[in-house]
Amino acid sequence: MKTPVLGFFTPWIAYALITLLHLVLPAKRMKGYVRHEQTGEALDYRINGIVVLALSVLLWLALGLLKWVPLDWLYQVRWSSLLGALTLGLLFSLLIVLPCPSTGKPFPADLWFGRLKNPQLRQGFVDAKMWLYLVGAVMLELNTLSFAVYHYQSREVYNPGVFLCAALLSWFVWDYLSFEKVHLYTYDFIAERVGFKLGFGCLAFYPYFYAVSLWSTVDLPNPQRPLWLNLCFALVFFMGWFLSRGANLQKYYFKLSPEKKFFGLAPAVLDDGERRLLANGFWGLSRHINYLGEILMACGIALSAGYPAVWQVWLYPLYYIGLLFTRQIDDDKICKAKYGALWDAYTKKVKYRIIPFIY
């Protein structure tokens, strides 16, 4: 009984420690793209995610080496830990939605999408979206490391795919927090509210479901796949990373300095005299090329574990397909409402929505 109870509260403790690190560690203050709904001023954010991640991993390692908490603890208590995260995610969602005025939509819609768009404390000292993505990302990394350690400690013959899968997930997390400021210019910060979708998603879904390939294969034997095949799986991931990271960076630098070249490429701009849309480089390939990148990264992670016939590993890519293909439709509606005829001109120039030459 003792272990399940401790496991249940493990994510609660982990999130509290991550939050404490976020609060006490030095952070860079910067303006984002989103503006305050009343004042019109750009919102402030504190950026220190990569330092919080590094210290969290060091703390995990120190606790393990001192034998205070086993390095594979999160694997040992994975089910009770997941239950604790599910409970916390539900509680957070209710607490962030119920006290706030209705948006005019039915309550299930308000609960799912949220009522507050950009909740902050002390003028950006704590931003709800930044905090949610931070604790989710760090917890995903700790889960990933714990599963990899369990595989290392429990097998005489290792599956290199487990370590490749863990390495790709780790790259995903470290890359996200290394470019934390870039994501202030993405759909999540611009368009989404904070409700069950985002709160439960970051506290329970993101840090546990994204590692579903490890959950599904960590106890399986070495499939004896050749090195070149593992390299191909990694290549799929990094092709996706190149598209996603490159597109987000190009848009970020365009928002900051519209005339500046991006890796030697001068921006091609559609302009109606008031607003401007970037229409070349990554954003000339498709209107949401970064979504294709995210899906390819998920496919690379699914393949990397070495068991493509295990259907559970494909849950992550399928989730991204469902999420991003529907998000593209919503995003296009938002852009059409915001840019009007300028958006029509962009869609005529860049015909493909996500996948160049296909869709």
Side-chain angles (χ1 to χ4, degrees):
M1 177 61 77
K2 184 178 179 181
T3 297
V5 171
L6 288 174
F8 179 88
F9 287 106
T10 291
W12 297 53
I13 297 168
Y15 293 156
L17 290 173
I18 296 164
T19 302
L20 180 62
L21 289 174
H22 177 54
L23 294 176
V24 303
L25 289 174
K28 181 179 180 181
R29 294 295 292 253
M30 66 175 297
K31 300 285 187 181
Y33 179 76
V34 176
R35 296 186 175 273
H36 195 282
E37 291 180 283
Q38 278 76 46
T39 66
E41 295 183 2
L43 293 180
D44 263 329
Y45 298 89
R46 291 177 68 251
I47 306 292
N48 64 359
I50 195 65
V51 180
V52 172
L53 175 62
L55 287 181
S56 298
V57 171
L58 288 174
L59 179 60
W60 165 81
L61 184 61
L63 291 173
L65 295 178
L66 291 171
K67 302 191 182 301
W68 292 354
V69 179
L71 288 172
D72 66 344
W73 172 254
L74 287 172
Y75 173 84
Q76 293 180 32
V77 299
R78 60 197 181 281
W79 292 110
S80 55
S81 175
L82 173 60
L83 181 59
L86 293 172
T87 304
L88 185 58
L90 178 59
L91 287 174
F92 173 87
S93 302
L94 292 172
L95 291 172
I96 198 71
V97 170
L98 290 179
C100 303
S102 171
T103 63
K105 297 179 179 179
F107 176 72
D110 269 1
L111 179 61
W112 178 260
F113 293 108
R115 290 173 173 171
L116 296 176
K117 195 167 185 180
N118 295 287
Q120 292 188 329
L121 296 175
R122 293 177 55 193
Q123 298 181 327
F125 190 80
V126 179
D127 177 85
K129 290 179 180 177
M130 294 292 289
W131 174 76
L132 285 168
Y133 279 112
L134 174 61
V135 296
V138 174
M139 194 66 183
L140 172 58
E141 176 66 355
L142 297 177
N143 275 320
T144 297
L145 294 173
S146 182
F147 274 62
V149 169
Y150 164 76
H151 185 78
Y152 175 79
Q153 293 177 344
S154 64
R155 316 297 298 186
E156 292 185 2
V157 179
Y158 310 128
N159 172 14
V162 166
F163 302 121
L164 176 59
C165 184
L168 296 181
L169 281 168
S170 295
W171 180 283
F172 173 83
V173 171
W174 286 81
D175 172 74
Y176 180 87
L177 292 177
S178 296
F179 291 95
E180 199 174 10
K181 63 182 181 181
V182 175
H183 298 281
L184 299 177
Y185 290 75
T186 58
Y187 177 93
D188 308 45
F189 284 85
I190 295 170
E192 290 200 331
R193 297 178 183 271
V194 181
F196 184 88
K197 180 184 177 185
L198 194 59
F200 183 88
C202 288
L203 295 173
F205 189 79
Y206 177 25
Y208 290 84
F209 179 78
Y210 276 39
V212 67
S213 294
L214 288 178
W215 283 64
S216 307
T217 60
V218 72
D219 276 321
L220 298 178
N222 184 0
Q224 303 295 334
R225 297 200 178 272
L227 175 62
W228 67 265
L229 195 55
N230 285 332
L231 293 176
C232 288
F233 296 156
L235 181 62
V236 171
F237 174 89
F238 282 107
M239 286 174 58
W241 172 78
F242 174 74
L243 291 176
S244 178
R245 176 56 57 217
N248 285 330
L249 278 174
Q250 186 186 10
K251 181 167 67 173
Y252 172 73
Y253 287 119
F254 176 71
K255 294 287 186 183
L256 291 181
S257 304
E259 308 301 330
K260 189 176 181 179
K261 292 183 178 181
F262 179 74
F263 286 108
L265 179 67
V269 175
L270 298 177
D271 191 335
D272 65 359
E274 295 182 2
R275 292 156 302 185
R276 313 177 82 191
L277 284 174
L278 182 62
N280 72 333
F282 291 99
W283 299 99
L285 296 174
S286 76
R287 304 200 292 266
H288 302 278
I289 193 69
N290 53 327
Y291 292 175
L292 175 60
E294 298 281 358
I295 292 167
L296 285 175
M297 282 195 288
C299 289
I301 289 170
L303 290 166
S304 66
Y307 283 93
V310 174
W311 65 269
Q312 291 95 326
V313 304
W314 294 103
L315 291 173
Y316 176 28
L318 288 173
Y319 156 72
Y320 256 2
I321 290 170
L323 172 71
L324 298 177
F325 273 70
T326 54
R327 177 182 284 185
Q328 170 266 311
I329 296 171
D330 292 338
D331 200 9
D332 279 12
K333 290 178 181 177
I334 293 171
C335 290
K336 170 63 178 174
K338 180 178 180 179
Y339 294 104
L342 189 62
W343 182 254
D344 292 333
Y346 177 63
T347 58
K348 287 180 181 178
K349 179 178 175 63
V350 183
K351 300 181 184 299
Y352 300 101
R353 301 177 184 186
I354 297 177
I355 308 174
F357 310 109
I358 297 177
Y359 174 77

